[in-house]
Amino acid sequence: RMPPQDVRTDLEILAGLAARLGAPGAISADPEATFAELARASAGGAADYGGISYSRLDAEDGIFWPCPTPRHPGTPRMFLDRFATPDGRARFVPVEFRPVVEDVDADYPVYLTTGRMLAHYQSGAQTRRIKALAEAAPQAYVELHPDLAEQYGIGEGDLVRVTSRRGTVTAPARLTETIRTDTVFLPFHWGGRGRANSLTNPALDPTSRMPEFKVCAVRLERVVADPAAGTRHEELEVTA
């Protein structure tokens, strides 16, 4: 696809930036030339593009890497005959179960999990700029089971304060029976008062070093709106 008129491609931006920074060598803004450079640079590696070219892609309707030579058919399914190890055999590493670092207790009796929603992508920095997507999902929310909501006197659309040992989020409630009764869900696409990572636990996995953002312990509180203060849901529409 061609970019819209007067919009530069990523390659044109990179080439222009390289030129202004005085980068050594020639940085091409032409996609075919850049792909040919990738083929040369990856030759002999695990992801070998050496035998793939624009002309082959047009003629063959796609080629799977590794494809080391122009006559190689490509590799639709890797590791059929051997794995990329000296003896060709896979390596299995046992993993011992470790419970959640921060479990629920009397002070923080509910699990929090975070994740995506359909209308937004990753942090939402791009999708929240698109009018149709912003209208489809304009603000953060707290998803919880009706049984859990009843314990706290929370109804559909009520403001809920979710507090962990690290911070607080305030967002309207969304009731659903598709979630566990001991867990609340918060999407992570918003900043401000709806910022999920104000709550999450930065504890690291001992092997991968990935943070444990998917689960932590929280407590819930229904926020009673003060008419004099004019509390409204629109106050939560804060972007990063």
Side-chain angles (χ1 to χ4, degrees), residues 108 112-114 139-144 154 158-174 184-201 213 216-224 231 233 235-238:
Y108 300 90
L112 167 76
T113 187
T114 67
Q139 62 180 5
Y141 60 88
V142 180
E143 192 173 83
L144 66 164
I154 296 170
D158 287 347
L159 285 179
V160 180
R161 183 177 295 116
V162 185
T163 302
S164 75
R165 290 177 174 84
R166 290 155 296 279
T168 298
V169 163
T170 306
R174 184 177 295 184
V184 296
F185 168 80
L186 187 69
F188 55 53
H189 307 293
W190 284 272
R193 294 175 65 189
R195 184 177 59 196
N197 280 341
S198 295
L199 306 174
T200 53
N201 191 350
F213 287 162
C216 68
V218 297
R219 63 172 180 257
L220 307 179
E221 179 185 3
R222 177 175 173 266
V223 178
V224 179
T231 302
H233 288 187
E235 294 177 5
L236 300 179
E237 296 179 14
V238 181

Side-chain angles (χ1 to χ4, degrees), residues 118-121 126-138:
L118 179 63
H120 293 294
Y121 174 75
Q126 298 179 49
T127 52
R128 283 186 284 106
R129 298 171 184 267
I130 300 172
K131 186 174 185 292
L133 297 178
E135 289 176 348

